[in-house]
Amino acid sequence: METFEWLQQWYQSQTDGNWEHSYGVKIETLDNPGWQLKIDLAGTDLWEKDLDWVMIERSENDWVGYKIKDMTFYASGGPMNLTEIIGIFREMVETEQSKQ
């Protein structure tokens, strides 16, 4: 399944009439340039997780960084790394779901 389609399905699976009123997914651009992704994890399979900042730098424009703190997944990356960032989140979700 394509990355953005997967994110849409994940978001829809979280909506229950309440979650979407307080939580959600934000995708924004950075001025360096790049992308920033913030996903609220309250009530999801990852809500208890914490992860220190992980940084992968391949070049000035090819990089990703991510962490989980306070029930939120934070990630950023270069201008062509948005799909990779969502893929990292997807891998975390699928790994957690496989444990259940």
Side-chain angles (χ1 to χ4, degrees), residues 10 14 19 39-52 67-73 89 92-93 96 99-100:
W10 178 86
Q14 303 312 308
W19 185 88
I39 302 176
D40 294 310
L41 301 176
T44 74
D45 292 332
L46 295 174
W47 76 274
E48 292 183 291
K49 296 289 181 191
D50 273 319
L51 176 67
D52 290 333
K67 70 178 178 179
I68 297 176
K69 183 175 172 91
D70 299 327
M71 294 189 295
T72 305
F73 174 80
F89 178 69
M92 289 179 177
V93 169
E96 191 61 31
K99 294 177 184 178
Q100 299 174 2

Side-chain angles (χ1 to χ4, degrees), residues 38-89:
K38 178 184 170 197
I39 302 176
D40 294 310
L41 301 176
T44 74
D45 292 332
L46 295 174
W47 76 274
E48 292 183 291
K49 296 289 181 191
D50 273 319
L51 176 67
D52 290 333
W53 187 253
V54 175
M55 185 69 176
I56 303 166
E57 293 185 79
R58 293 179 282 265
S59 72
E60 183 178 338
N61 289 314
D62 183 8
W63 59 275
V64 295
Y66 57 92
K67 70 178 178 179
I68 297 176
K69 183 175 172 91
D70 299 327
M71 294 189 295
T72 305
F73 174 80
Y74 298 95
S76 53
M80 298 300 293
N81 296 100
L82 181 57
T83 301
E84 180 180 3
I85 292 167
I86 296 170
I88 290 167
F89 178 69

